[in-house]
Amino acid sequence: DIVMTQTPLSLPVTPGEPASISCRSSQSLLDSDNGNIYVDWYLQKPGQSPQLLIYTLSYRASGVPDRFSGSGSASDFTLKISRVEAEDVGFYYCMQSMEFPYSFGQGTKLEIK
Amino acid sequence: QITLKESGPTLVKPTQTLTLTCTFSGFSLSTSGVGVGWIRQPPGKALEWLALIYWDDDKNYSPSLKNRLTITKDTSKDQVVLTMTNMDPVDTATYYCAHSEDAGFGEFPDYWGQGTLVTVSS
């Protein structure tokens, strides 16, 4: 199974400041046939279900503000928030959708300073 | 508008079988490329992917739970059912169902239900 490792696990951020979350996979998530990298990012706000933010490395899901962006390489990924807002608090998870079983990172808790 | 909702018992006893139903709307599970999966989250812990069923009845299971899981669909009722046998207190979690669809840029849970908390206790 592919293991996803996130850092940091806790991220205090001042509103208006940028934030960055890293995720690393134990195997490459690059599909050499089409160049897609199958990593996705979710935000779970307090008391809510996870919501899709980014899919296939860098595509923003519908309705997601453009302050969220995804980037990375075959096994090293980053979610960036250009300017954190109060509504961005919650747990962020990376997930690999390269192969079954899909697997998630441990989660990163973003909180406002 | 795609929506999903989980239903089932909130409390089960150890060794019992859990049956959860995901009732959805806004899409058809007979459409090519569409799938419905289950993910769970123990209290205060991370997400764990469990199983997925496709429009063509193809299925995938978490290897660590494969012997205990069965996923089925009823297209006429727009429902997906997950059964998990031999429940244990460590299976206490919120269980989510989610829609996925291969749109050419990957396949991933994009719409999630609200989740249902299942507690395993005698």
Side-chain angles (χ1 to χ4, degrees):
Chain A
D1 296 3
I2 297 175
V3 177
M4 304 293 283
T5 304
Q6 286 182 234
T7 55
L9 299 185
S10 180
L11 184 58
V13 184
T14 301
E17 293 296 304
S20 180
I21 300 171
S22 295
C23 177
R24 181 165 292 179
S25 59
S26 60
Q27 300 173 32
S28 171
L29 303 186
L30 170 66
D31 186 334
S32 55
D33 290 337
N34 55 29
N36 287 337
I37 296 175
Y38 293 112
V39 64
D40 316 299
W41 290 92
Y42 295 86
L43 164 60
Q44 186 173 31
K45 295 183 179 182
Q48 296 186 18
S49 305
Q51 59 185 84
L52 178 67
L53 294 176
I54 302 288
Y55 62 92
T56 314
L57 185 67
S58 59
Y59 295 91
R60 265 190 306 276
S62 177
V64 174
D66 60 7
R67 64 178 183 274
F68 291 92
S69 64
S71 63
S73 59
S75 59
D76 221 336
F77 325 104
T78 303
L79 175 72
K80 292 182 180 177
I81 309 173
S82 59
R83 296 173 306 279
V84 170
E85 298 186 4
E87 66 180 21
D88 300 336
V89 299
F91 280 88
Y92 290 78
Y93 294 94
C94 59
M95 186 197 83
Q96 66 83 14
S97 49
M98 177 71 177
E99 64 179 42
F100 292 110
Y102 289 174
S103 47
F104 294 88
Q106 317 98 297
T108 295
K109 183 178 183 180
L110 186 148
E111 57 185 12
I112 298 296
K113 281 184 181 177
Chain B
Q1 179 190 4
I2 290 177
T3 64
L4 305 97
K5 187 173 184 179
E6 307 85 353
S7 60
T10 58
L11 179 66
V12 297
K13 290 181 167 45
T15 75
Q16 286 186 336
T17 294
L18 171 69
T19 299
L20 294 174
T21 301
C22 176
T23 303
F24 55 84
S25 64
F27 67 95
S28 172
L29 199 39
S30 58
T31 299
S32 178
V34 174
V36 172
W38 289 89
I39 301 102
R40 71 178 178 180
Q41 185 174 37
K45 295 188 177 181
L47 300 162
E48 179 185 13
W49 184 88
L50 300 177
L52 176 69
I53 188 166
Y54 287 102
W55 85 101
D56 61 356
D57 212 38
D58 190 18
K59 302 164 188 176
N60 283 281
Y61 294 100
S62 168
S64 63
L65 294 168
K66 185 173 184 177
N67 290 339
R68 299 174 53 207
L69 293 176
T70 303
I71 190 169
T72 60
K73 63 181 176 69
D74 186 333
T75 305
S76 66
K77 293 183 179 179
D78 287 340
Q79 291 180 334
V80 169
V81 174
L82 181 75
T83 61
M84 182 180 292
T85 61
N86 195 23
M87 292 292 285
D88 183 272
V90 300
D91 297 313
T92 294
T94 296
Y95 287 76
Y96 298 97
C97 63
H99 164 277
S100 67
E101 186 168 355
D102 185 355
F105 291 97
E107 185 186 311
F108 38 82
D110 50 6
Y111 295 90
W112 295 58
Q114 64 190 25
T116 185
L117 175 61
V118 178
T119 301
V120 184
S121 174
S122 55

